[in-house]
Amino acid sequence: VSKEAEEYLFEELEKQLKADKLNIARLISLLRPAGLAGGSRALPILFELVQRNDPAFSWVAVQVMGEIGDPQIIEPLSLFLKNSRHDGSCEPNLEALILITLVRMGSWNYVEELVSLLHNDCPEKEIARRRALGTLSDLPIDLSSMFLLLAMSPDHTPHEKIRESSIRSMGRIT
């Protein structure tokens, strides 16, 4: 994509967000190409869309953030997840994608929560679990690596020898 096309896409996304009446179909069609074209510059706009907690487009904004891969978004996403869980407003698809994105970006302290979500069979978490399972392929690590990361955590594995074995195993994989 040419630099001119990138600028045009990003400007169109900004116009959509500033319009008096939001055109959801247009917004959704612009999110990925404009977000990726804007790169790190698009993160504030994408995060604004996440904060709207709208199932129509918030989860797409989180996916694009993960594709951009800028670690500066980890802290705001973590805080949003914590606060929206606390007040009960976190949309299930969004919760799953935020966890996937945080792990994808190297925030390993969320691996345990992601694994718990994947194994959670309570009806309230079914939508989030399905979304998480459907987007596992976005992760740059395989499941064995994920479980080893979990086993390396002192919070999850208090036995030091098991943690050491996990670290050695991870070293052989990477």
Side-chain angles (χ1 to χ4, degrees):
V1 178
S2 72
K3 196 69 175 158
E4 294 82 24
E6 287 179 358
E7 283 301 316
Y8 173 77
L9 287 168
F10 190 68
E11 287 171 12
E12 283 298 306
L13 179 61
E14 287 181 314
K15 279 187 220 173
Q16 270 304 308
L17 292 172
K18 292 176 184 171
D20 292 334
K21 188 172 180 183
L22 192 62
N23 180 335
I24 300 290
R26 179 87 171 126
L27 176 66
I28 291 170
S29 69
L30 281 170
L31 268 176
R32 177 162 274 105
L36 293 174
S40 294
R41 181 174 65 148
L43 291 176
I45 291 172
L46 294 169
F47 188 67
E48 177 187 326
L49 292 171
V50 171
Q51 289 177 307
R52 292 183 185 190
N53 204 7
D54 188 316
F57 52 77
S58 293
W59 65 272
V60 178
V62 171
Q63 277 187 318
V64 174
M65 287 176 173
E67 290 173 37
I68 292 170
D70 189 327
Q72 73 173 323
I73 202 64
I74 291 173
E75 188 176 333
L77 269 180
S78 298
L79 187 59
F80 173 80
L81 181 63
K82 178 184 172 190
N83 291 339
S84 62
R85 280 176 167 170
H86 178 73
D87 67 19
S89 68
C90 196
E91 197 274 319
N93 283 320
L94 189 56
E95 177 184 10
L97 282 165
I98 289 174
L99 284 173
I100 291 278
T101 299
L102 289 169
V103 171
R104 179 182 186 180
M105 294 174 60
S107 198
W108 305 121
N109 51 318
Y110 287 98
V111 170
E112 186 172 0
E113 284 186 57
L114 179 57
V115 170
S116 293
L117 176 64
L118 294 172
H119 291 283
N120 192 329
D121 61 355
C122 75
E124 302 86 50
K125 292 292 183 180
E126 184 178 336
I127 293 170
R129 190 174 86 232
R130 280 197 322 248
R131 174 64 68 182
L133 286 168
T135 56
L136 271 180
S137 61
D138 289 349
L139 292 176
I141 57 176
D142 63 15
L143 285 176
S144 62
S145 299
M146 186 182 291
F147 285 111
L148 285 171
L149 286 168
L150 192 58
M152 288 189 286
S153 166
D155 296 332
H156 188 267
T157 309
H159 195 276
E160 187 175 344
K161 294 289 183 192
I162 294 174
R163 286 197 315 271
E164 288 173 5
S165 295
S166 301
I167 292 168
R168 280 194 299 277
S169 293
M170 182 62 89
R172 287 192 298 268
I173 290 173
T174 57

